[in-house]
Amino acid sequence: MRIVMIGAGYVGLVSGACLADFGHEVCCVDTDVSKVEALRRGQVPIYEPGLSELVLANQTAGRLSFTTSLEEAARGASAIFIAVGTPSLAEVGSADMRYVYDAARAIAAAIKDFTVVVVKSTVPIGAGDAVERILAETLPRDRFAVASNPEFLREGAAIEDFKQPDRVVVGVEDERARAIMGEIYRPIQRAGSPIVYTSRRSSEMIKYAANVFLAMKVTFINEIADLCEQLGADVLDVSKGIGLDERIGARFLNPGPGFGGSCFPKDTLALTKLAAEARAPIRLVETLVDVNDKRKVAMADKVIRTCGGSVAGKRLAVLGLTYKPKTDDMRDAPSLVIVPRLQEAGAKVVAYDPEGHRMAEPMLPGVEFAESAYACLEGADAAVIITEWDEFRALDLGRVRKALKEPVVVDMRNIYEIDAMKALGFRYVCVGRGLNGQG
Ligand SMILES: NC(=O)c1ccc[n+]([C@@H]2O[C@H](COP(=O)([O-])OP(=O)(O)OC[C@H]3O[C@@H](n4cnc5c(N)ncnc54)[C@H](O)[C@@H]3O)[C@@H](O)[C@H]2O)c1
């Protein structure tokens, strides 16, 4: 089956490469000329484990190609996926749909035979109808059908998530389109993942509801962690104790500096806007957006408190800047709030991130970048762990102790054993583990 993927970003590139690996013939179209040229040379512009190898293998096998011309790509395609960005509209917070609608207009000008237009981007409920209206301005109604197929992959585990998802959701109301979508995802279904067919609007809603629910779990455990600090309980035991209850589930119960990334912040905000416009405000989600925003600031203040109430003139070694490990994605990373606040308070920040350096540097002016964790820690007044890269878990803590000027570690991800840190003479402050976060 010939498939076009509009947008060769995180989702488009991973989806395109995986669909090609299933044996489909996939062409990724992007308006970013330099990105397309790099991809044609086999250079993958993002860090995602296994992606470079997958792209290269399928390119070499002739199943995956890249172009800037939709007209050329669309020839003979059964389905055209829209996987462009839907960022927050500045000052408003709702999803900015301009890239999706631009793509829809380009599709309207490019297709000649019946084609399924699949909206993979995360879009407000009803966006599929809007895409349909745009296409119908130019095309006869029997030339296309619009389907919704939201993506649930996690950065850092994107290939595995795409190939063995918990489920594939397809919102489709046209029989021909349903048959084509079934054919596209047959390899996944054969491997045991269910395909959930729904109406288009339900499918669009499933994506928002899923993301917001996960964001809510993270925010919930963050608040429980704060309470643990006040009452002398250990949030890791609490997470384990509640997570073993199958009704709750163990995942997304790790406390930290607040959620970030390319999806949760913008999707939670977009849903609150959508709900308010629909006159069915979701107060729970409005609150979690507010709680999460404030948490990042509170985390910087925790560092300042741990450093005796002032970081003016202090050298702080920040380990980890990306919003989570195994990605170089810096979109809405908590570090983008925490680090500038520490700088405003007078700290000199030196940072190290295993993969995020290139993306982070232009976003964090005034930060000195180190080439290794140990170089970052050398001579610092405190270490601050923002992202839990495995490499940091494996640091030689004796060497860390020697490198630091003061043995102070603020660990926003709870990656070390409290007793081991104490035995080494650290002042170890983590999240939700005992009174006032003192490890
Ligand atoms: N990143 C994730 O983990 C993730 C997970 C699930 C869903 N999503 C959703 O998927 C969508 C895409 O996210 P992303 O992270 O891949 O975005 P991205 O910014 O990484 O990629 C978007 C790409 O689309 C290209 N583009 C924009 N307009 C175009 C056009 N008219 N024609 C061709 N190309 C165009 C851009 O140049 C860019 O390369 C968003 O709606 C997002 O919410 C993202």
Side-chain angles (χ1 to χ4, degrees), residues 6 70 82 84 97-111 117 119 127 130-136 138-139 146:
I6 303 186
L70 177 60
I82 301 178
V84 298
M97 291 296 291
R98 86 179 86 159
Y99 306 104
V100 173
Y101 296 152
D102 281 353
R105 279 186 281 273
I107 294 170
I111 58 179
V117 176
V119 181
V131 168
E132 195 170 80
R133 279 195 297 275
I134 291 171
L135 295 170
T138 315
L139 299 169
V146 177

Side-chain angles (χ1 to χ4, degrees), residues 6-12 29-32 35 83-86 99 102-103 120-122 151-153 155 207 262-263 266-267 331:
I6 303 186
Y10 229 108
V11 166
V29 181
D30 205 293
T31 43
D32 184 336
K35 190 180 271 190
V84 298
T86 47
Y99 306 104
D102 281 353
K120 193 167 244 330
S121 301
T122 303
E151 185 49 58
F152 299 95
L153 61 80
E155 293 183 11
K207 176 60 193 173
S262 60
C263 292
K266 79 173 175 69
D267 293 347
R331 285 178 281 185

Side-chain angles (χ1 to χ4, degrees), residues 381-422:
D381 294 284
V384 179
I385 297 161
I386 302 185
T387 316
E388 70 280 32
W389 286 90
D390 280 346
E391 165 177 348
F392 303 152
R393 294 179 199 276
L395 288 176
D396 172 347
L397 294 169
R399 197 170 156 195
V400 171
R401 173 84 169 79
K402 282 202 197 90
L404 286 170
K405 197 160 99 195
E406 300 292 334
V408 177
V409 175
V410 181
D411 175 3
M412 300 182 187
R413 302 289 184 169
N414 292 335
I415 65 173
Y416 299 127
E417 294 297 330
I418 293 173
D419 291 345
M421 294 301 277
K422 275 196 182 146

Side-chain angles (χ1 to χ4, degrees), residues 215 217-226 229 235-236 239 252-260 291-300 302 323 334-335 338 385-388 410-415 430-433:
K217 262 185 117 175
V218 173
T219 307
F220 171 78
I221 205 64
N222 282 341
E223 294 218 286
I224 291 291
D226 289 351
E229 288 184 13
V235 72
L236 296 193
S239 288
F252 283 80
L253 285 181
N254 300 317
F259 60 76
V291 168
N292 193 61
D293 286 346
K294 290 189 173 127
R295 183 164 192 83
K296 299 172 192 173
V297 176
M299 280 289 150
K302 184 172 186 159
Y323 84 95
S335 64
I338 296 167
I385 297 161
I386 302 185
T387 316
E388 70 280 32
V410 181
D411 175 3
M412 300 182 187
R413 302 289 184 169
N414 292 335
I415 65 173
C430 44
V431 183
R433 309 196 62 195

Side-chain angles (χ1 to χ4, degrees), residues 174-342:
D174 174 288
E175 275 312 311
R176 282 182 300 176
R178 185 182 159 125
I180 289 174
M181 294 305 287
E183 191 58 27
I184 290 173
Y185 283 114
R186 198 153 47 121
I188 289 182
Q189 195 177 25
R190 271 221 194 109
S193 301
I195 300 185
V196 180
Y197 289 100
T198 69
S199 72
R200 210 162 52 203
R201 281 179 179 246
S202 298
S203 165
E204 290 164 344
M205 180 60 104
I206 287 169
K207 176 60 193 173
Y208 274 109
N211 265 8
V212 166
F213 189 84
L214 294 174
M216 206 165 61
K217 262 185 117 175
V218 173
T219 307
F220 171 78
I221 205 64
N222 282 341
E223 294 218 286
I224 291 291
D226 289 351
L227 192 55
C228 285
E229 288 184 13
Q230 294 308 312
L231 302 178
D234 186 335
V235 72
L236 296 193
D237 290 340
V238 176
S239 288
K240 193 171 176 192
I242 63 172
L244 284 168
D245 185 327
E246 281 182 13
R247 292 168 301 177
I248 297 173
R251 292 161 78 185
F252 283 80
L253 285 181
N254 300 317
F259 60 76
S262 60
C263 292
F264 285 5
K266 79 173 175 69
D267 293 347
T268 45
L269 196 58
L271 191 66
T272 64
K273 301 294 164 188
L274 203 62
E277 281 165 20
R279 295 178 193 211
I282 309 188
R283 290 212 302 281
L284 200 61
V285 185
E286 287 168 9
T287 304
L288 90 85
V289 169
D290 182 49
V291 168
N292 193 61
D293 286 346
K294 290 189 173 127
R295 183 164 192 83
K296 299 172 192 173
V297 176
M299 280 289 150
D301 293 346
K302 184 172 186 159
V303 175
I304 296 170
R305 253 192 338 273
T306 306
C307 292
S310 169
V311 289
K314 291 198 169 149
R315 185 175 172 86
L316 299 180
V318 169
L319 296 181
L321 296 167
T322 51
Y323 84 95
K324 67 172 186 176
K326 295 189 189 166
T327 180
D328 59 358
D329 202 335
M330 283 294 295
R331 285 178 281 185
D332 269 316
S335 64
L336 295 174
V337 174
I338 296 167
V339 169
R341 190 163 173 92
L342 294 172

